[in-house]
Amino acid sequence: MNIEKHLERWVGAELITSDQADKIKAFEKKTPSAGWALWGISGVGIVVLMTGVISLIAAHWGDISPTVKLAVYFLVFLLLSLITIKKGKNEGLIKEVLLTFLSLYALGGVGLIGQVYNLVSDGYTGLFFWLLIIFPITLLAKSKLIQYIWFIGFTTAALIWGFETGSLDSAERNAMILISIPYFWIAIGYVLDRKANSYFFSAARVWNWLIVMLGYTLVGSFIWNQGSKNFQQEHITQWQMLPVLSIAAVIGGILSRKVSPGLVSTFALLAMIIGSGLLFIYPAIFIIEPHQIIPCILFFVTWGGFATLAALTDRKRMYDIAAFIIGARFVVVYFEVFGTLAATGIGLIISGGMILGVAYAWYKYRATLAALLKGAA
Amino acid sequence: MNKFSIAVLVPFITLLLWVVTLERNISGGIPIRVGVEGYDPRDLLSGHYIRFKLSLDDITPCQNVNHGESSCLCYGYEKDNRELAIPIWGGSCNEAPDYCVLRVKGTCEYSQFQSVDRYYIPEHLAPVLQRVPSESSIEMVLDRNGGAQVIKFFVQDESLEDYAAKMLLELPTPANK
């Protein structure tokens, strides 16, 4: 939709007057933007150019001496850094793109140095080192991309560490540390997010909530269905207390938030934490028998909290995704409990009717529910 | 200089210092040439490295060392061969004898001594280096703490690159078949 159509809609909604719309149109005509076509063509040109440069270098990589490789790398690195410093005086897309590119260039450097000096690599040490050296940049950047790249790198390095260093003796220790990490990051994200533009701590919460909601709730549901007898020890060890501590840290972080958006929001967050903890952490510590109803309830509590939060913050898409996931889980538990109904035609008709009824009710009343939740906050 | 400039320069300066440290280790370390042997086919996912392990002869550096703990492998020279150092002792670094001057520090992973284990090879030489050739050796520099850095890889007295280039020429081409 181009700007003229936007302006028509805004005039129609009485957000702006016709005079203001005309003035905006006149201004845009005077300073035409590059347009998507130019950006697209430029983008293709840049990709082709970079591919050519990379191909040329790769084809002659063996012929280039290590000294030349390192010298060129550092010269380009210095140039990029100086350009970033110069362009970084003004906030905007260019600054954020340069910071992201610089960070990835540094990662390439870690790999290059490892290759030139034939360094022993365990995979995670180099990654953690890279994360450390780009941490100041990531902290100052205002772009979501570099923040999430950092957290993806962190998660990858942690997983490699967990599996590479795990032996029969340390498997439990590594597992407990790994499953605690997302909760600790969420806690840090709440406790240290004191400023309005603390993008890093916002990304810490978002990324790790993603791991908890999409990872822990699903895996936890599965473990509850199977029971944890086969891989759980008889006694509780000290490392198993770490996940409990991490959940306590998140609860503390949530309750100590500087900004208090309301009681309902706080309860929603607590539901997410406690629900996901009981779903995933509980069977990691205690031996449980297979269950179907308990994990379902915990799942609804956790995702219900998420849906509530989405409704309170006017995030329609998140609300709909949460609703879809809750609905899918409902269907799963329905057939788990009433599985025998699927064996007959009548049973299937009844089941289908119920599911359609629930779907229709949700479609009709979801906006009302969202408004109710918002009003209760 | 503001904090933004400092943050941007941190990765550049850190990596540069790292390279300077590695170069100092090489120039200040003791060069030594030791035998190696293969233990795995070349790992393609490792970015075209040839993987090897240090030849231990009859030395067992992990015999009395627990999994995950560090261990030392000591080298010495035979009277009539000052070219290639041979392992003369292995075990916990705390129990290393006084004559253990040339030592490589590693870790015992499931009774296997792990230390330097890779050498970069250009991709076009990969077809003839599926396994570590026999009579292979590496030149590495050792620092006082047992840290080792691989400098060069040899097959008999030839560099790995020259050996592989020669083998590549001997590969049958479609015209010769």
Side-chain angles (χ1 to χ4, degrees), chain A residues 10-250:
Chain A
W10 296 336
V11 168
E14 293 178 5
L15 296 169
I16 56 173
T17 64
S18 319
D19 281 341
Q20 283 170 327
D22 291 336
K23 280 182 187 168
I24 292 169
K25 275 187 229 172
F27 174 79
E28 287 299 323
K29 275 194 183 126
K30 256 196 287 182
T31 52
S33 65
W36 63 266
L38 185 60
W39 279 116
I41 291 169
S42 306
V44 169
I46 289 169
V47 166
V48 170
L49 185 78
M50 289 306 299
T51 307
V53 169
I54 290 168
S55 299
L56 196 64
I57 294 170
H60 299 279
W61 191 246
D63 303 327
I64 305 171
S65 75
T67 310
V68 170
K69 283 176 192 170
L70 287 174
V72 170
Y73 173 79
F74 279 106
L75 271 169
V76 171
F77 203 171
L78 183 63
L79 197 65
L80 271 173
S81 301
L82 294 173
I83 292 172
T84 306
I85 290 170
K86 192 168 186 310
K87 292 288 179 189
K89 288 179 184 141
N90 305 314
E91 297 293 342
L93 184 65
I94 292 177
K95 175 184 172 184
E96 301 304 320
V97 165
L98 282 170
L99 286 175
T100 307
F101 188 69
L102 205 66
S103 302
L104 294 172
Y105 193 77
L107 179 62
V110 172
L112 174 66
I113 293 168
Q115 186 189 91
V116 166
Y117 292 97
N118 300 299
L119 299 178
V120 176
S121 165
D122 49 27
Y124 58 88
T125 307
L127 268 177
F128 278 127
F129 176 62
W130 169 65
L131 290 168
L132 189 64
I133 64 176
I134 65 161
F135 185 67
I137 292 177
T138 312
L139 216 50
L140 290 177
K142 293 188 168 73
S143 146
K144 283 182 191 171
L145 180 61
I146 189 173
Q147 318 289 355
Y148 289 121
I149 285 173
W150 197 94
F151 277 103
I152 290 169
F154 183 90
T155 306
T156 307
L159 285 171
I160 294 173
W161 167 83
F163 287 106
E164 282 281 318
T165 60
S167 62
L168 285 170
D169 297 329
S170 61
E172 189 204 34
R173 178 203 69 183
N174 287 14
M176 292 301 121
I177 291 173
L178 281 179
I179 67 176
S180 304
I181 286 173
Y183 288 119
F184 277 124
W185 269 122
I186 293 171
I188 290 169
Y190 280 116
V191 170
L192 294 182
D193 185 3
R194 298 287 188 227
K195 299 178 189 173
N197 61 346
S198 53
Y199 295 85
F200 180 80
F201 298 109
S202 169
R205 294 195 305 274
V206 171
W207 175 253
N208 289 284
W209 269 126
L210 208 65
I211 293 173
V212 169
M213 296 306 294
L214 290 179
Y216 288 16
T217 57
L218 296 175
V219 174
S221 295
F222 177 78
I223 295 174
W224 271 94
N225 271 304
Q226 304 295 312
S228 63
K229 213 172 188 178
N230 290 335
F231 56 89
Q232 225 12 298
Q233 297 178 24
E234 293 289 337
H235 57 278
I236 296 171
T237 64
Q238 60 184 16
W239 284 108
Q240 286 171 315
M241 289 298 106
L242 190 63
V244 178
L245 191 67
S246 66
I247 289 178
V250 182

Side-chain angles (χ1 to χ4, degrees), chain B residues 84-101:
Chain B
L84 198 72
I86 55 168
I88 55 175
W89 183 90
S92 170
C93 296
N94 296 330
E95 294 165 14
D98 293 336
Y99 59 78
C100 183
V101 174

